[in-house]
Amino acid sequence: MKSTVSILCIFITLNLSLFSNEPDLISQINDYRISNGLDELIIEEKLMETALQYARVLAEEKRISHVDTEGGRVLDRYRAAGGTAVTAGEILGTSPETELIFEAWKESDSHRELILDPKWYRIGGALAKEGEQVIAVILFSNSQIDELFYKRLNNSVNVQIKTIGNIELSFGGFLPVDSVYMKNEDIQIYQVSIFRDQLPLLIPVSRNFNGIKKITDFLYIPDEILNETH
């Protein structure tokens, strides 16, 4: 009897069990992108967390859908987990074998287009199992932010923003960057001081693409941060 594969995809703009072969799907996707002249995607922890949570939900509910029971979609789930990117994508698949899932994605025009979209920089994924079926959740984002570090000062908060590469970012234009704390070919850490009367603050993070600034992330700094950080 032939094994069957079910696949779904979604793209939104601003909008259990984790198995050892989960990184294999990410590796296959990266190899496929490289073979098509695209950059390798970097793992994002918030995407990994979001994918794992949703894979578990789908397994428990015994269904495959991009819409959760509360009506939320991938960007909603990603933001709820603390993700900062303005754009997120999601592909789902189910089959007894992960190899069949990946082959089905490649044969689907919509899935192939999403996997090979040059706008993505980050990736995350998880697998869950329901009976004999493996459920795969792979997520993508255009986030340039890798990690945030907060340090509370007397009447302000110092924010260090670690990027995923040696790239120039701007932070809303109105927010001056004090310094670049560290810079090499792999990472860049910006240092920004924000005063209490500026909080709460939503900071658009932009990257320069051929002379055009495009927003990749939104950083939300709540006023409570001065009471919570040390």
Side-chain angles (χ1 to χ4, degrees):
M1 182 176 65
K2 280 190 174 180
S3 297
T4 59
V5 183
S6 299
I7 56 176
L8 290 168
C9 77
I10 193 166
F11 173 72
I12 296 180
T13 302
L14 191 95
N15 124 98
L16 172 227
S17 298
L18 181 63
F19 294 89
S20 60
N21 60 343
E22 174 274 329
D24 291 343
L25 268 179
I26 292 178
S27 294
Q28 289 177 70
I29 288 172
N30 272 328
D31 289 344
Y32 188 52
R33 284 177 61 88
I34 291 170
S35 69
N36 282 273
L38 297 169
D39 292 334
E40 179 178 356
L41 299 176
I42 300 169
I43 287 177
E44 180 182 349
E45 288 304 318
K46 294 304 179 182
L47 290 177
M48 296 290 282
E49 293 173 18
T50 306
L52 177 57
Q53 291 171 6
Y54 199 50
R56 182 183 295 116
V57 167
L58 294 177
E60 291 172 351
E61 296 178 352
K62 301 181 180 179
R63 69 188 186 98
I64 295 291
S65 175
H66 291 294
V67 183
D68 59 43
T69 55
E70 296 180 354
R73 295 178 179 270
V74 57
L75 193 59
D76 301 311
R77 295 187 287 272
Y78 169 72
R79 286 293 178 78
T84 62
V86 300
T87 304
E90 175 182 82
I91 52 177
L92 307 176
T94 179
S95 173
E97 301 175 31
T98 57
E99 285 292 337
L100 294 177
I101 296 174
F102 183 63
E103 289 303 316
W105 285 342
K106 289 196 298 182
E107 292 173 6
S108 163
D109 290 342
S110 59
H111 291 78
R112 185 173 59 253
E113 181 179 352
L114 191 145
I115 290 171
L116 297 179
D117 195 323
K119 75 167 61 65
W120 304 132
Y121 294 102
R122 315 298 296 276
I123 191 170
L127 300 178
K129 195 168 186 181
E130 162 52 30
E132 297 300 317
Q133 294 291 312
V134 173
I135 297 172
V137 178
I138 297 292
L139 305 181
F140 306 87
S141 86
N142 71 329
S143 178
Q144 301 287 285
I145 304 301
D146 193 52
E147 200 168 356
L148 299 175
F149 309 89
Y150 299 100
K151 182 179 180 181
R152 184 180 63 184
L153 305 175
N154 288 334
N155 212 23
S156 64
V157 59
N158 181 277
V159 184
Q160 290 185 354
I161 305 165
K162 180 182 176 184
T163 71
I164 61 172
N166 185 358
I167 56 176
E168 296 296 328
L169 299 180
S170 57
F171 302 87
F174 61 89
L175 188 68
V177 177
D178 296 336
S179 61
V180 177
Y181 176 73
M182 181 183 298
K183 182 175 182 179
N184 59 43
E185 63 180 10
D186 297 320
I187 66 167
Q188 190 160 257
I189 299 179
Y190 293 86
Q191 188 164 279
V192 180
S193 293
I194 304 170
F195 292 99
R196 181 185 292 272
D197 60 6
Q198 293 178 288
L199 299 176
L201 187 63
L202 184 65
I203 306 172
V205 179
S206 302
R207 182 179 179 185
N208 192 310
F209 292 88
N210 299 321
I212 301 174
K213 285 186 177 180
K214 294 185 179 180
I215 297 175
T216 61
D217 295 82
F218 279 105
L219 302 181
Y220 177 67
I221 315 296
D223 49 5
E224 295 88 351
I225 202 71
L226 287 174
N227 300 323
E228 296 175 355
T229 57
H230 301 279

